[in-house]
């Protein structure tokens, strides 16, 4: 199979590429496997300990190995066969979920929370490969003019998995038990591995020379640091979510501010994903090209304004609408950042750049929840959200000033 950029004409739609369709199946399977296992782990661990701190330690158990392994996973993606490496990572996730299923069913002589934390840590190691594998193969199954529409469709699949994965996990845990949920996670991870191995895609030739690992990782870091457009887009996303997110505080906001019941939590948790899906579907038909940098900055500014408005809302319907808009702004940011990363990154460096991008995302998501909790404790819930939204607007202003090439970006110049 020829590389798509070698073809004389590009396919009219990313979905016309068989490789892209297989890649989307891989993405939804890995995401839903992780989400189902995460729901089952949380439920099983809380029933075991009845301790909320034990739930908080789950994120810590996952993020520590992620940060330690991610730079090396990017190096491996750039130097080893990508489909084989991805299938091995999916197999690790499958074995891990199978061990959790056996523990939950009482088939293994392991007791207490620590074996679960160890399993979560092993799963975190496997997950470090999933994003770099996806991004590296993305550029092999699509022509460059299709990257923007492909990133939009990839975002639709991602957000759909964020909605369906927890829902499936909750249904399985509630009806069949945690062992069945873990077993389903195993099956989904194995399906992802098979999908990768069957994917019709050409692999890049292996590097003729391999430098020292640490020097190669440093080369990827220097590439990101030296590319104002890419670094600006990553930093903008990281600091906006790290300092201005609202979703992590939803349970407290619903209980203390909106005075609503737990049924409202599912509605509000789904609202940002719904917004992201809607905007990604629109962008898949109307990909952004002109003034992409300005649109990105405006989208992140809208993210901050929605956070401020959400903090001031006292009506459930209005809060839901604001979170849909919040998700739409975030969705624009995700699609544009993904498109920029694909267009500016050389093929031989996609794994390392993607792993650095993964570190940015993990920093914002995991540490952002911790930051939100600390600020809410110090300032109060609503003031903390107002400060977060205001800081996000400040981040946009600073980025626009320090990264003029990002501000003036037109994606047509990168094709």
């Amino acid at each position: 199979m020829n590389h798509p950029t070698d073809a004389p004409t590009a396919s009219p739609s990313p979905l016309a590429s068989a490789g892209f369709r297989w890649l989307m199946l891989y993405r939804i399977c890995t995401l839903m496997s992780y989400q189902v296992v995460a729901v089952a782990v949380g439920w099983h661990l809380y029933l075991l300990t009845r301790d909320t701190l034990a739930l908080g330690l789950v994120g810590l158990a996952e993020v520590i190995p992620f940060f330690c392994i991610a730079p090396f996973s990017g190096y491996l993606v750039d130097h080893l066969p990508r489909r084989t490496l991805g299938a091995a990572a999916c197999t690790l996730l499958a074995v891990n979920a199978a061990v959790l299923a056996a523990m939950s069913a009482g088939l293994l002589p392991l007791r207490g929370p620590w074996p679960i934390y160890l399993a979560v840590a092993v799963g975190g190691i496997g997950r470090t490969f999933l994003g770099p594998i996806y991004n590296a193969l993305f550029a092999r199954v699509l022509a460059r003019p299709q990257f923007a529409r492909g990133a939009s469709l990839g975002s639709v699949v991602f957000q759909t998995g964020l909605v369906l994965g927890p829902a499936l996990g909750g249904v399985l845990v509630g009806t069949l038990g945690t062992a069945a949920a873990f077993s389903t996670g195993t099956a989904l991870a194995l399906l992802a591995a098979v999908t990768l191995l069957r994917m019709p895609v050409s692999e890049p030739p292996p590097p003729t020379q391999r430098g020292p690992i640490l020097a190669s990782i440093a080369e990827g870091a220097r590439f990101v640091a030296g590319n104002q457009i890419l670094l600006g887009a990553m930093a903008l996303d990281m600091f906006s979510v790290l300092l201005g997110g609202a979703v992590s505080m939803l349970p407290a906001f619903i209980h203390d501010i909106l005075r609503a019941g737990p049924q409202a939590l599912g509605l509000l948790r789904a609202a940002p994903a719904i917004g992201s899906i809607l905007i990604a579907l629109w962008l898949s038909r109307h990909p952004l090209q002109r003034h992409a940098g300005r649109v990105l900055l405006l989208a992140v500014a809208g993210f901050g304004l929605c956070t401020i408005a959400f903090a001031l809302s006292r009506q459930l319907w209005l809060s839901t609408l604001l979170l849909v808009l919040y998700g739409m702004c975030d969705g624009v940011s995700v699609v544009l950042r993904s498109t920029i990363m694909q267009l500016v990154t050389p093929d031989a460096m996609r794994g390392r750049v993607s792993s650095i991008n993964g570190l940015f995302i993990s920093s914002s998501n995991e540490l952002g929840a911790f930051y939100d909790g600390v600020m809410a404790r110090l300032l109060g819930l609503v003031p903390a959200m107002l400060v977060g939204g205001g800081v996000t607007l400040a981040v946009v202003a600073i980025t626009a000033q320090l990264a003029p090439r990002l501000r003036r970006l037109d994606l047509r110049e990168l094709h």
Side-chain angles (χ1 to χ4, degrees), residues 79-347:
H79 290 83
L80 296 177
R82 293 164 177 177
R83 287 184 298 169
T84 303
L85 184 61
C90 292
T91 302
L92 176 62
L93 293 178
V95 171
N96 197 49
V99 170
L100 285 168
M103 289 170 54
S104 179
L107 300 178
L108 292 178
L110 299 173
R111 300 290 183 270
W114 292 109
I116 298 176
Y117 292 135
L118 178 60
V120 169
V122 172
I125 294 174
R127 283 188 64 217
T128 63
F129 292 90
L130 302 183
I133 290 292
Y134 170 81
N135 287 308
L137 292 177
F138 180 97
R140 303 297 299 181
V141 299
L142 293 180
R144 290 176 68 85
Q146 295 175 299
F147 282 1
R149 295 182 67 185
S152 300
L153 291 171
S155 180
V156 171
V157 171
F158 181 80
Q159 295 297 336
T160 300
L162 289 183
V163 174
L164 296 181
L168 176 61
V171 169
L172 289 171
V173 170
T175 57
L176 301 177
T178 54
F182 288 132
S183 298
T184 301
T186 300
L188 287 167
L190 288 176
L191 178 58
V194 173
T195 298
L196 278 180
L197 295 176
R198 290 180 57 84
M199 183 184 300
V201 60
S202 63
E203 293 271 9
T208 56
Q209 294 182 341
R210 297 185 183 181
I213 294 178
L214 294 180
S216 182
I217 293 172
E219 181 186 12
R222 285 194 300 271
F223 174 80
V224 173
N227 191 300
Q228 185 183 109
I229 294 174
L230 184 58
L231 180 63
M234 287 185 180
L236 185 66
D237 181 81
M238 182 185 77
F239 285 111
S240 62
V241 176
L242 175 64
L243 303 175
V247 175
S248 63
M249 293 293 105
L250 280 181
F253 193 85
I254 289 170
H255 183 272
D256 298 341
I257 307 301
L258 296 179
R259 305 293 181 184
Q263 67 277 7
L265 179 59
L267 176 64
L268 293 185
R269 284 296 295 263
I274 292 172
S276 293
I277 291 173
L278 291 175
I279 196 66
L281 285 171
W282 191 86
L283 290 175
S284 70
R285 300 297 300 273
H286 306 87
L288 290 169
Q289 298 290 338
R290 300 180 59 192
H291 309 305
R294 295 180 188 177
V295 172
L296 176 60
L297 291 166
L298 289 173
V300 178
F303 181 88
L305 290 173
C306 287
T307 301
I308 293 172
F310 178 81
L312 298 174
S313 171
R314 298 297 180 267
Q315 300 293 327
L316 180 60
W317 69 267
L318 179 59
S319 297
T320 304
L321 176 61
L322 288 168
L323 285 185
V324 171
L325 295 175
Y326 171 102
M328 294 177 73
C329 292
D330 186 49
V332 172
S333 174
V334 168
V335 169
L336 284 177
R337 176 170 47 81
S338 299
T339 305
I340 290 168
M341 184 176 68
Q342 293 291 352
L343 288 173
V344 305
T345 305
D347 195 62

